[in-house]
Amino acid sequence: MRLIFLGPPGAGKGTQAARIAEKHGLAHLATGDMLRAATAGDSPLSEKARAIMASGGLLPDEMIIELISAPVSGAKTTGFILDGFPRTVPQAEALDKLLAALNAPLEAVIAFDLDEKAIRQRIIGRGSEAGQHAREDDRQEVITRRMAEYRRHTQPLRDYYQAKGLLRPVDAAGTVEQVSAEIEEILAEKVLTA
Ligand code: ADP
């Protein structure tokens, strides 16, 4: 299966992607984690990338596309869940091109629905649970910027994938188990109708 998990920050994409990937033997490709690993060093470029992430901004499309291309190609046969990518229409277009060249189309885009109030509560909760290990971009003022980036750049991807008949919304306000069950139902339907 080749899937995208799409949704606002704090909607639980990462948690669900890890669970579903493990259960179905899929690669979990999370651009946020890949970026935090790739920019851990102290080169000027890493420092610049970290500053953008810490402020809640998005990194340049070309950088992200370069980062994700090899892992996506490598997971072509096992299947994958993309978590945090694509986040902009140009990224989605680049992904389409890559997958067309690999002859490996997407099967579904799971869209996490969660209202803004719940998003804030979740991210703040995640920050206080993590204590001093909290992510720098989970601070209150940064959440506002991440939400704005989401609305402006990522939300339009819902229409993009809806138009392709791939969008499958899930109610992300439920418990971890409830949301997983909803996703599993969608995947079962996909397999049955494939
Ligand atoms: P969340 O989904 O909780 O917002 P992530 O861990 O997915 O967080 O991403 C953290 C940060 O990494 C983003 O705020 C952004 O700065 C950067 N990033 C991750 N994926 C992308 C992407 N596809 N395009 C641009 N920037 C990205």
Side-chain angles (χ1 to χ4, degrees):
M1 276 184 294
R2 290 175 295 272
L3 310 168
I4 292 175
F5 282 15
L6 182 69
K13 295 185 301 290
T15 305
Q16 295 298 336
R19 286 170 68 105
I20 305 282
E22 154 106 325
K23 181 147 180 228
H24 296 273
L26 306 171
H28 175 195
L29 305 178
T31 40
D33 293 342
M34 292 163 70
L35 284 167
R36 280 184 287 274
T39 61
D42 54 10
S43 71
L45 203 62
S46 291
E47 273 168 31
K48 195 168 170 200
R50 282 203 303 270
I52 294 174
M53 291 170 75
S55 71
L58 294 182
L59 288 164
D61 287 333
E62 311 77 67
M63 186 195 238
I64 302 293
I65 292 160
E66 196 175 316
L67 181 84
I68 198 83
S69 293
V72 166
S73 307
K76 167 191 158 166
T77 0
T78 46
F80 53 74
I81 298 177
L82 293 173
D83 163 14
F85 173 87
R87 247 179 168 95
T88 65
V89 170
Q91 290 180 18
E93 289 168 348
L95 177 65
D96 280 345
K97 270 200 198 147
L98 176 64
L99 294 178
L102 295 170
N103 198 15
L106 288 169
E107 271 121 328
V109 176
I110 309 290
F112 288 62
D113 289 334
L114 193 66
D115 66 44
E116 186 151 349
K117 197 170 150 225
I119 292 168
R120 281 187 181 275
Q121 282 167 350
R122 288 228 186 141
I123 301 183
I124 292 162
R126 173 163 89 186
S128 54
E129 262 167 44
Q132 59 176 347
H133 300 294
R135 270 170 47 180
E136 219 176 324
D137 61 351
D138 278 352
R139 286 179 293 122
Q140 278 275 14
E141 62 277 20
V142 180
I143 300 172
T144 304
R145 167 94 189 272
R146 283 161 70 201
M147 288 300 309
E149 295 280 13
Y150 174 77
R151 270 195 303 270
R152 175 149 180 234
H153 295 288
T154 312
Q155 182 99 350
L157 292 180
R158 293 180 69 107
D159 292 340
Y160 182 93
Y161 288 116
Q162 176 77 53
K164 293 180 185 284
L166 289 171
L167 199 77
R168 300 285 181 278
V170 295
D171 176 10
T175 64
V176 170
E177 273 71 24
Q178 282 166 346
V179 179
S180 289
E182 215 183 314
I183 296 171
E184 290 294 355
E185 253 175 60
I186 293 169
L187 300 185
E189 260 169 50
K190 288 252 84 154
V191 171
L192 288 175
T193 56

